[in-house]
Amino acid sequence: MPTYPPEPFRIKMVEPIRLISPQERRQAIEKASYNIFALRAEDIFIDLLTDSGTGAMSDRQWAAIMQGDESYAGARSFYRLTEAVQEIFGFRHFVPTHQGRAAENILAACLVKPGNFVPSNMHFDTTDANIRARGGHPTNLVIDEAFNPANPHPFKGNMDIAKLRGFIEKIGVKNIPFGMITVTNNAGGGQPISMENLRAVAETYHAYGIPFFLDAARYAENCYFIKLREPGYSDKSTLEIAREMFSLADGAAMSAKKDAIVNIGGLLMMNDEGLFRNVCNELIIREGFPTYGGLAGRDLDAMAVGLREGLDEEYLAYRLNQTAYLAYRIKEAGVPIVLPPGGHAVYVDAGHLLPHIPHGEFPGQALTVELYLKGGIRGCEIGSVMFAHPDPDTGEIVYPQLELVRLAIPRRVYTQSHMDYVAEVIAKIAKRADKLRGYRFTYAPELLRHFTAKFEPI
């Protein structure tokens, strides 16, 4: 088991948290209709719902906030962000957005028409929903190893090139406005993609004249995995690896709330001049002027600093090893997880832990509720609640192959004792896993239903 790495920082400010009583937790989850998104944050002890916007900003980021220029257009903050974006990503054009799903929304609004298909390794929830909302069909073409949680493949986020070629030939280029890949692959366990595979994906898309966009929310973690695992990259810096990665693509949509370690913000980047003009028009309607994009100037400055901090290799070594430590503590207790550990989260294999609960009764939801009841821990279901959809031809529900619970670790927030506590609670739950029961919907919207659905125990 990995040893817990020493934090490459020291703590200047603390925020109190408290573990409310089991009775209070029971009342809280019932009031929330068994949806962990509806819980009050003050009733959570360890919050592993997401690593998006939940990280601790550095002293340099807070200092940068004080320099924020709040001019409506052409603010100094925008040009400081521009320097960081050009240094790391190298695309000709970009706009800031308030978060990643806004970037996805604008990209889909500009390019996706009803009946279009958008291939990727595995689309995550908001990307999937933004494509569906435009009448498109998000299609996942990840390698088969991704669906075996125990498989130790070092790059389980890779796209299957044969599947991709076959898909393009079947669907037709005219029906594919752009192709994607998600780095790292959040829906499949936070698994990285190799540079070799990224290059093959890019070559395949470009051979057919299809624009290639990265979902780059956790690109820095992916770059560090490449440095650690892929031959020929151990002596390259994460910045060099990032620049090579983005040079393969025509653009990228990114939530800065992950690897840029800010509480709000996103980016939409591209090389195409005509697309950039259309994006700016959409941005002005939906987000704001192109030099602020729905953000305050102080947010742009914090992002500029955070983009560089997110590539720091001492920080990334700590980040990946903290996740690995929690993963192997949980695995030691005999709890099935996705292996090898990803960069930002531990994914518990709820389908194997709770084999008596079928897809339609949401084993991941059952585990998330139990985590809260037993330990005040908030995780996130990534399974049939999030990704089951009716087949567009038959109307039958298509369930995902993986039923997972993601324990996403906020950046620079929790310590070893918090990780040990989480592992101990999960170990206790596993001992009585056969007693858990499933859930049914009492309300669910058509898209992104996990955010606002209501449940009842079966």
Side-chain angles (χ1 to χ4, degrees), residues 37-311:
F37 282 91
L39 289 167
R40 296 172 66 99
E42 64 193 44
D43 293 336
I44 308 297
F45 186 50
I46 307 295
D47 200 344
L48 306 180
L49 176 67
T50 180
D51 62 320
S52 178
T54 57
M57 291 202 299
S58 69
D59 55 351
R60 294 181 182 182
Q61 286 178 289
W62 284 109
I65 280 177
M66 300 307 294
Q67 299 179 47
D69 176 3
E70 305 305 338
S71 301
Y72 185 90
R76 292 186 302 276
S77 301
F78 171 76
Y79 292 104
R80 286 191 283 265
L81 176 61
T82 298
E83 290 178 5
V85 169
Q86 290 175 341
E87 174 187 332
I88 297 168
F89 303 104
F91 295 112
R92 295 190 188 100
H93 308 288
F94 87 97
V95 294
T97 61
H98 81 273
Q99 59 183 42
R101 71 192 63 181
E104 296 164 352
N105 182 22
I106 291 168
L107 184 63
C110 290
L111 296 180
V112 177
K113 302 292 189 293
N116 282 171
F117 290 79
V118 180
S120 184
N121 50 353
M122 293 179 79
H123 294 279
F124 200 58
D125 57 353
T126 59
T127 325
D128 181 285
N130 273 305
I131 294 167
R132 290 180 188 276
R134 300 286 170 180
H137 305 288
T139 304
N140 298 330
L141 302 171
V142 72
I143 59 174
D144 291 339
E145 289 88 340
F147 300 111
N148 180 356
N151 191 307
H153 191 294
F155 292 104
K156 285 165 73 172
N158 283 354
M159 191 181 291
D160 189 311
I161 303 302
K163 288 181 185 177
L164 177 59
R165 290 197 188 104
F167 178 78
I168 295 170
E169 292 290 340
K170 177 183 177 181
I171 297 301
V173 171
K174 69 180 186 302
N175 296 314
I176 303 174
F178 63 97
M180 296 193 78
I181 199 167
T182 306
V183 291
T184 56
N185 181 24
N186 192 9
Q191 298 296 304
I193 295 86
S194 70
M195 191 71 77
E196 179 184 28
N197 187 251
L198 285 165
R199 190 172 293 106
V201 170
E203 289 171 354
T204 303
Y205 282 137
H206 292 153
Y208 289 93
I210 297 170
F212 174 31
F213 279 77
L214 293 170
D215 174 352
R218 298 175 181 87
Y219 79 96
E221 292 172 5
N222 202 109
C223 288
Y224 199 66
F225 276 122
I226 288 172
K227 181 180 177 72
L228 294 176
R229 297 180 181 176
E230 190 162 358
Y233 287 91
S234 60
D235 293 332
K236 292 192 175 185
S237 70
T238 47
L239 176 58
E240 289 173 319
I241 295 168
R243 288 190 63 85
E244 181 177 345
M245 174 189 293
F246 291 108
S247 73
L248 299 171
D250 301 294
M254 176 180 170
S255 168
K257 297 165 66 177
K258 285 81 168 176
D259 275 355
I261 326 178
V262 289
N263 303 130
I264 197 72
L267 297 168
L268 179 55
M269 301 169 280
M270 68 227 72
N271 288 325
D272 184 83
E273 178 77 31
L275 176 60
F276 176 62
R277 286 195 293 268
N278 291 337
V279 162
C280 286
N281 293 333
E282 285 288 331
L283 185 86
I284 290 169
I285 293 170
R286 303 173 189 281
E287 291 279 291
F289 193 72
T291 60
Y292 78 88
L295 295 170
R298 55 185 173 268
D299 300 320
L300 303 177
D301 268 306
M303 194 193 308
V305 175
L307 283 168
R308 294 184 174 104
E309 290 186 354
L311 282 168

